[in-house]
Amino acid sequence: MEVAYRYVKQRRQFGRQPHFTDQGAELLLDLRPNEEHAKAWIVKQQATAAVQAAPDMSEHEVNTVAVVSVPKGMAHVEGGWAKDDVEGLLRFRKKVEKDEDYIRTVVRLGTMVEDLVKQNNAIDIYEEYFADVPAQHLSQAPSTSTLTILRDPSGVRRGAQAISWQPDGSGRLAVAYSVLEFQRQPAGMPSTSHVWDVANPGAPEAALAAPSPLVTLGFNLKDQNLVGGGQYNGQFTFFDLRKGPSPVEATPVEHSHRDAVRSFAWTQSKTGSELMSASTDGSVLWWDLRRLGGEPLESLTLRERGAGEAGAVLGGTVVEYSPQAGPTKFMVGTEQGAVLAGNRKAKNPADRITAAYAGHHSAIYALSRSPFFPKFFLSVGDWTTRVWNEDLRTPIITSPYNAAHLTGGTWSPSRPGVCYTIGHSGALEVWDYYLKQRQASLTGGRADVALVHRPLASLALAPGAAPRLAGIGCTGGTVTVLQLSEGLVEQQDNEKAVISAMLERESSREKNLEKSAKEAKAKARKEAARTAEPLDGATDEELAQLEREFMEMIKQ
């Protein structure tokens, strides 16, 4: 049986009946955009992200196993056919060529080689399509990236005062650790410096256990296992990496410097064992590693040219030697802000100092002669970087004053117009004179926090035709190895000609200014002599009156 009930509801109980009709659009509110608010926003760059179903995977190790070379001897016995037994050699060849195994082997190998030759002729995977087109990096912004960081393993905060790369380009560098502040060395500070391998930054490769902390060091240019070092106590010593961490020999205390050896340079010689060292005690000494236990070969006291024995002694902070400028020429930067140029083989010992370049307000910490134009050199001191022409006594280029003291700098060995500077601000500055002369092309580098929070003390570029690595040491003992971009190391098409023209133009400008200044001084002296009133015609009474007036003025 079906039970149903019908619910009935009147129309008025549903509410008012709507009547929809078509009509035109009606403006209710018009909000105009505020242009001032738009200036506070920028358009976000579009970003493209690739998404895949499988997670990204990578190896946790990327370094290859280092090849360990071990020297071993072997016995070599001469064999083969005698030179005069040509007939026996021909008979043996004919016998081998008739052998069936030899024929089958040649046929089988010939088929394999033929397939490879056809593939190589079809497409050359090593072909360089744009080999004749020179590389252009003007559109690339100069940049650096951190390759690795080397930390002092001693645990005591010592400054990385000097860095030296091994000349063979193997990626090894030696770092001198010390504290140069007088009587402020931390208690228990070790005097050991270290040799590092960039491929293995976890631990140093070798130790240099010097009796006194090393202030400066450098690999020998001919024997790359020898490392020379200048000590804090004034002695010079050298190490042989094949004989362990102990020094091989050191200079006698009585014949060494009286202050820390701040800089040294290997000089040109047949054996590659001669060097010159400079110290803040005001002396430059020449040594030979073969006779290091005796007196120095030569010595020089740093005084300005023509000052004589009574002249003030200038403390040496950095020495520069370049065989391109001459085998006997050298330069020394001093604490007083002057650069002294010298000639070791001068006829008169008093004429060894050939020129003095004054301009800096405080000590000079870096000298670098241009590898492309040996007549021009770079000096870094106080707050500026200056470029000099050795024929002039005033700088031809001076950088704007930096906010902090500069502590190092060098020319690029691969680009004529690029130089690098470091300072107490913790920033690396790159000057590219090919692009701009009034400001640095790269400031800071943003390589790592180690280049920002502590003053920088040392700078060295890895050797090579186009060095891509730079080592920068700070006062906290950290050495940051930077990788330079291609635009900073590869030379442009006409860069050498452009930089040469710029340097010659600035030199001519400075010569004209010096000539104008001399003419103005000579003219002023003539004018003063012409307008001066002669006193030859004055009588004795007039002279006595002038004397009385002068004495009255003094009493008043």
Side-chain angles (χ1 to χ4, degrees):
M1 182 179 64
E2 294 183 0
V3 179
Y5 180 78
R6 184 180 181 184
Y7 292 90
V8 179
K9 193 174 183 180
Q10 295 182 0
R11 173 65 187 82
R12 64 174 178 269
Q13 294 179 357
F14 285 96
R16 185 178 179 181
Q17 182 180 3
H19 296 280
F20 297 102
T21 59
D22 294 335
Q23 65 180 15
E26 181 182 357
L27 178 62
L28 300 178
L29 181 63
D30 185 9
L31 291 177
R32 296 291 181 177
N34 191 340
E35 297 182 358
E36 296 297 330
H37 292 174
K39 295 179 180 179
W41 302 88
I42 61 175
V43 180
K44 183 179 179 180
Q45 297 292 338
Q46 295 182 357
T48 304
V51 181
Q52 59 183 7
D56 294 335
M57 305 293 289
S58 63
E59 294 187 19
H60 66 285
E61 293 182 358
V62 295
N63 292 333
T64 58
V65 180
V67 178
V68 179
S69 59
V70 179
K72 292 184 179 181
M74 61 177 297
H76 177 69
V77 179
E78 294 290 342
W81 296 92
K83 294 182 179 181
D84 53 354
D85 191 5
V86 180
E87 296 181 357
L89 177 61
L90 295 176
R91 288 196 300 268
F92 180 77
R93 286 180 177 176
K94 291 180 180 180
K95 179 181 177 181
V96 173
E97 291 174 355
K98 293 180 180 180
D99 191 356
E100 296 180 357
D101 294 338
Y102 173 78
I103 296 175
R104 287 195 298 268
T105 302
V106 171
V107 173
R108 179 174 55 85
L109 295 177
T111 305
M112 298 173 58
V113 173
E114 184 179 2
D115 293 340
L116 298 176
V117 170
K118 290 181 178 179
Q119 293 180 7
N120 190 47
N121 293 337
I123 179 173
D124 184 7
I125 62 175
Y126 301 104
E127 182 180 0
E128 296 183 6
Y129 295 96
F130 305 101
D132 299 333
V133 179
Q136 293 289 341
H137 305 284
L138 297 180
S139 59
Q140 300 181 4
S143 62
T144 62
S145 60
T146 302
L147 183 63
T148 186
I149 297 178
L150 311 176
R151 305 185 186 278
D152 185 7
S154 65
V156 180
R157 194 170 73 179
R158 304 179 297 171
Q161 305 297 343
I163 300 174
S164 176
W165 291 85
Q166 198 167 24
D168 60 355
S170 60
R172 301 170 68 197
L173 68 159
V175 184
Y177 296 98
S178 60
V179 177
L180 298 183
E181 297 180 359
F182 181 66
Q183 292 185 348
R184 290 188 179 180
Q185 285 80 4
M189 183 187 72
S191 60
T192 304
S193 297
H194 300 281
V195 177
W196 297 83
D197 189 350
V198 176
N200 183 23
E205 188 178 85
L208 306 176
S212 180
L214 295 180
V215 178
T216 180
L217 51 71
F219 279 96
N220 188 275
L221 302 180
K222 289 191 176 182
D223 191 348
Q224 301 174 6
N225 293 305
L226 301 182
V227 181
Q231 300 183 146
Y232 185 78
N233 62 355
Q235 290 180 287
F236 180 85
T237 185
F238 77 97
F239 304 83
D240 193 337
L241 300 180
R242 297 164 295 190
K243 298 182 180 180
S246 301
V248 178
E249 194 174 5
T251 58
V253 177
E254 59 272 16
H255 299 308
S256 302
H257 293 282
R258 298 297 182 265
D259 204 348
V261 181
R262 299 299 298 269
S263 178
F264 81 94
W266 300 100
T267 59
Q268 188 178 22
S269 61
K270 294 182 179 179
T271 59
S273 59
E274 296 184 5
L275 60 106
M276 57 183 300
S277 61
S279 172
T280 49
D281 64 353
S283 63
V284 177
L285 304 179
W286 281 265
W287 305 92
D288 192 336
L289 296 183
R290 298 171 297 179
R291 299 187 296 272
L292 202 62
E295 297 183 359
L297 301 179
E298 298 178 38
S299 63
L300 172 66
T301 302
L302 296 177
R303 293 187 177 91
E304 291 189 3
R305 178 176 174 81
E309 296 294 334
V313 178
L314 307 179
T317 55
V318 59
V319 62
E320 195 281 334
Y321 176 83
S322 177
Q324 298 176 349
T328 61
K329 289 184 177 181
F330 64 92
M331 292 190 302
V332 181
T334 63
E335 287 182 314
Q336 290 73 19
V339 179
L340 302 181
N343 189 347
R344 181 182 177 185
K345 298 301 182 181
K347 296 181 179 180
N348 189 358
D351 296 335
R352 283 189 175 183
I353 302 299
T354 58
Y357 307 89
H360 288 282
H361 306 294
S362 61
I364 297 175
Y365 293 102
L367 284 176
S368 178
R369 192 179 289 272
S370 174
F372 296 90
F373 314 106
K375 186 172 63 174
F376 301 92
F377 63 93
L378 178 80
S379 66
V380 178
D382 54 59
W383 304 271
T384 60
T385 302
R386 301 171 186 249
V387 180
W388 306 75
N389 185 334
E390 64 180 11
D391 298 333
L392 304 175
R393 297 299 177 264
T394 54
I396 60 175
I397 300 176
T398 302
S399 67
Y401 278 75
N402 202 298
H405 271 81
L406 301 180
T407 56
T410 182
W411 284 104
S412 171
S414 59
R415 288 197 56 190
V418 174
C419 61
Y420 304 84
T421 60
I422 57 174
H424 283 179
S425 63
L428 169 69
E429 290 189 352
V430 181
W431 290 83
D432 191 346
Y433 292 119
Y434 184 72
L435 297 179
K436 59 182 72 173
Q437 292 82 33
R438 296 181 180 273
Q439 62 180 359
S441 299
L442 177 64
T443 303
R446 294 303 302 169
D448 192 76
V449 293
L451 293 179
V452 178
H453 294 294
R454 293 191 182 277
L456 304 180
S458 54
L459 167 65
L461 300 180
R468 295 294 301 274
L469 301 181
I472 303 176
C474 70
T475 56
T478 301
V479 177
T480 304
V481 180
L482 300 181
Q483 187 170 13
L484 308 176
S485 62
E486 293 184 0
L488 293 178
V489 298
E490 295 189 10
Q491 188 177 155
Q492 305 299 322
D493 293 342
N494 58 342
E495 180 177 355
K496 187 174 181 180
V498 171
I499 298 301
S500 176
M502 183 195 72
L503 295 176
E504 294 295 339
R505 182 184 69 247
E506 297 299 327
S507 300
S508 300
R509 188 196 309 274
E510 196 63 33
K511 290 179 182 178
N512 294 334
L513 292 176
E514 288 186 358
K515 183 179 179 180
S516 300
K518 290 181 180 179
E519 292 177 354
K521 289 181 180 179
K523 184 178 179 180
R525 285 195 298 268
K526 292 181 180 179
E527 186 68 21
R530 186 179 63 82
T531 57
E533 296 182 359
L535 297 178
D536 296 341
T539 61
D540 295 339
E541 295 180 358
E542 293 176 347
L543 294 175
Q545 180 65 22
L546 292 174
E547 184 177 358
R548 288 193 297 269
E549 293 178 357
F550 177 73
M551 297 304 295
E552 289 295 334
M553 292 174 59
I554 294 178
K555 291 180 181 180
Q556 294 177 1

